[in-house]
Amino acid sequence: MAAAIFSIMIVLLLLGFPMMVPLIAGALVGFVTLFGGLGQLETMIQQMMAGIRPASLIAVPMFIFAADIMTRGQSAGRLIDMVMAFVGHLKGGLAISTAAACTMFGAVSGSTQATVVAIGGPLRPRMQKAGYGDSFILALIVNASDIAFLIPPSIGMIIYGVVSNTSIAELFIAGIGPGLLILVLFAVYSWAYAVRNGVPTEPRASWGERLRAVRAALWPLGFPVIIIGGIYGGIFSPTEAAAACVLYALILETLVFREMGLRDIYRTAKSTGLITGVVFILVAAGAAFSWVISFAQIPQAILSGAGIDQMGQIGVLFAISIAFFIGCMFVDPIVVILILVPIFAPVVADVGLDPVLVGTLITLQVAIGSATPPFGCDIFTAIAVFKRPYMEVIRGTPPFILILLGVSVALIFFPQIALFFRDLAFPGEAG
Amino acid sequence: DTWRYAFEEALDEVQGIYAQKFKEEIEANTDHEIQLFPYGTLGESADIMEQAQDGILQFVDQSPGFTGSLIPEAQVFFVPYLLPQDTETLASFFRNSKAINEMFPTLYADQGLELLTMFPEGEVAITTKEPFKTPEDLDEVKIRTMTNPLLVESYKAFGATPTPLPWGEVYGALQTNIIQGQENPMFFIESTKMYEVTDYVTRIGHNNFTTAVMANKDFFEDLSDEDRQAIRDAADAAFAHIIDYQKGLTEASVEKIKEAKPSMTFTTLSEEERQPFKDAAGEVEAKFLEMTGDSGKEILDQMKEDLKTAEDATQS
Amino acid sequence: MAYVSSLPGVLGTIDAAIARAESALLAAGVLLMALNTVANVVGRYLFQSSLFFTEELNRILIVVITFAGISYAARQGRHIRMSAIYDALPPRARKILMIAIALITAALMFGLCWFAVAYLLTQAGRGRVLPALQIPVWTTLVIVPIGLFMTGMQYLLTAVKNAISRDVYLSTVVLEGYDDEETEV
Ligand code: NA
Ligand code: NA
């Protein structure tokens, strides 16, 4: 059954059907095969509803809305001008700042989709103007946003911690090393890209110009204060911070900068709703599809034939990486974690692997999978928001995926990348 | 045949242990096979409940607290200080109660479900960032509750600020201090690492988390007499197993938490200290009666009677 | 650019009215979600009392936004697709393929609409209510079959539009190709 479903999905995808069709058709074929007819399709509707219900998803439309207001108004431009005043003269400076901003925003907001919109939205036009290729920009935004999975708070790590009975605090710390390593490698690649493609730099801004840029950005600097200060300061949940940003953006653009009127707000809200619908119908269909995979116990069937219990530590780590990488290409990461972690748990214990290392590796695969074709959620978001063709959005991804896979392999052979900080913070746990 | 059984917790948590024992019994005594689906693999609590009603799942474990939206009377388990803390009294109550064994099955049957058993999962403890002994200490303390009117009412009555929050956000919210406390059975506090982001565990004895296992009614009625009996026997065996398993489970969880975090402080309030909280329980009971009317009152009265019987039986 | 229905007469008037209703629902849903979420924060800090229904209301709104959104997106030709192979085909093949895609997608949407109605009826029969708001669950899902039906209609009309006109259309009003302009409603 699995082979038939995957083939149908790929064919429909390649023929150019709206992306929701392959996902819905995959789920539909699964339901019909499992229950011998159309008798249980109500459960498919139920699971589509379940897919868009998680409270954390509310942050997505809220950040889309806030980012859209900021971009249509003056807030985003002023913030970027400020950053450019400091890094515009550096080779690849804008790209590196974009990567860092994506990582930071994603880490704090807890939503990679929101990051694609909130950081990518305003920065993409500026990077285009600076001379970066669009495919590079889109791939950078999508992949840098996904580093956020590794930086606390990380919902993937919380789920893994609960399912595998592993300390969430240790997981959080272990994610920081690989997360920063990836960011550094992305920065190096961005610099290399800028050099090779001769992306021009701006003249170095004087301190006077920098001061003026900071002053112009004083009001919009309230956004990072709301998001970072609000969330780490314990005032807001990420979703609430997103809504607070909406409110702040509305106040700034209508009352302070007087850039937008009621008509513009209505238009922006509507466009936010459209993007949300386009992305969330895929999330919904994906959830129904995941349910089929889980109910039919397809992962169990595939993995029981793979002989994972015969492998050593390195072998098991590779098997886990591959299983999660492939799983996250097709199915929602949270569901993949919930299904696969218990299957691997006995083997992980048998060969004596550190569950924190395993959790970090899994989270990394989740990050890669969300940015990887064919069904990466962040790719969908980028397509919906930037209105670019699918192929253009994924054309620039291979170098980034290579870096991510390289870090995965490095993590398997040098666990200290993850465990160094953990052992520093929790000395008792070493070994 | 292959039967499917979904529950709300992980495989190594209480509902999972019950399910594993049930599976073991069925597979040993019949030629049927059971597939287990732990938390989240087929959806949230409400989803698996519907799937059991639809007959996609043959068995489901859903706590009455979550069943409240379908069967309002099931929320009686949220009335504070109703259930006793003593394990033996509790087991005797669940075994013999007329409310549990006669009244609730009728309510579940109306929803297409055969109630197989209800069992306790352990005393609910409160974890907080600061110590507390009185309702006044809880003033302005935000405690996470499930989205349930009675639970919200309870924590209001206890003097706290109840803050409904989806479970996935609780760890992060405690870490950043959006909320300062949450409640759960001790094994769950241990397994979900709630102790990492709070410092005090307080037992005020207000509740014992209860859960229920059901079968799809049409499926159950179409079975042969032997199969039905095998299911009843398996449910009984798993009940005995889970009561036995829970002896010392709370203490074992406490030990594990202490080992992982020696600075964690455990407090059990004395009967006197509990009195102000008990006094507050009246408001919640009134709210329950307001929400469920005559049928709620009937269940509540019967439960009180059954509890008295259980107490008398275990004390003699 | 204002939205002009490509349907004739009364149908066109109805279509334009539906388009306006969808966009009003979308905008209202998003704004209400922001307001609801902020109000909860204000309640928590100023009045020491969370709005017990915030989460449930947001869940209702997200369903409204998603299912009003898919129909609106179909109208605007904005649903995500991978068109690499499609784009490489000659115009005539593209037209035939587009008609097939639109018809199959429409059929799928009508099918889902049917099962969504069945799901609603089952929900109504069981009488499940939302724990905090205490309103029947089925009432919060009414938009689901409506949105699916409207989406199906849009794809059906797209097939018709392609069959009767020279160019290839992504939706009744949007020509194929990537266009930065959004049609205003
Ligand atoms: Na994160
Ligand atoms: Na993916």
Side-chain angles (χ1 to χ4, degrees), chain B residues 176-193:
Chain B
T176 58
N177 204 33
I178 291 178
I179 53 171
Q180 294 85 36
Q182 61 90 39
E183 64 153 48
N184 259 309
M186 200 68 81
F187 80 88
F188 207 67
I189 292 171
E190 193 275 320
S191 68
T192 58
K193 311 293 162 203

Side-chain angles (χ1 to χ4, degrees), chain A residues 35 40 43 46-47 50 53 55 155 165-169 172 231 233-234 236-237 239 291 294-295 297 338, chain B residues 4 35-37 39-42 44 47 50-51 54 56-57 166 168-169 171 175-178 191-193 196:
Chain A
F35 301 109
Q40 297 293 2
T43 301
Q46 178 210 50
Q47 283 305 304
R53 204 172 42 201
I155 186 71
N165 211 353
T166 307
S167 163
I168 296 162
F172 276 4
I231 294 176
F236 302 131
S237 74
T239 311
W291 188 93
S294 176
F295 188 85
Q297 305 223 321
L338 286 170
Chain B
R4 295 180 172 88
Q35 285 178 353
L36 298 180
F37 292 92
Y39 165 76
T41 52
L42 292 183
E44 286 178 16
D47 300 330
E50 278 182 31
Q51 290 161 25
D54 290 338
I56 285 184
L57 298 173
E169 291 188 4
Y171 188 95
Q175 198 169 39
T176 58
N177 204 33
I178 291 178
S191 68
T192 58
K193 311 293 162 203
E196 292 181 354

Side-chain angles (χ1 to χ4, degrees), chain A residues 99-100 102-104 107 143-152 154 157 171-187 360-361 363-364 367 403-404 407-408 411 416-419 421:
Chain A
C102 282
T103 305
M104 202 160 78
N143 284 281
S145 301
D146 281 324
I147 299 176
F149 275 108
L150 287 159
I151 313 275
S154 156
M157 283 181 159
L171 284 166
F172 276 4
I173 288 187
I176 294 174
L180 291 181
L181 176 61
I182 294 167
L183 179 58
V184 167
L185 291 174
F186 281 3
T360 313
L361 195 62
T363 312
L364 178 53
I403 290 176
L404 289 164
V407 171
S408 305
L411 190 56
Q416 283 307 313
I417 297 171
L419 301 182
F421 288 113

Side-chain angles (χ1 to χ4, degrees), chain B residues 255-269:
Chain B
E255 284 314 309
K256 277 193 204 165
I257 295 174
K258 278 183 175 163
E259 200 186 320
K261 183 173 174 180
S263 65
M264 201 74 191
T265 310
F266 292 84
T267 314
T268 305
L269 295 194

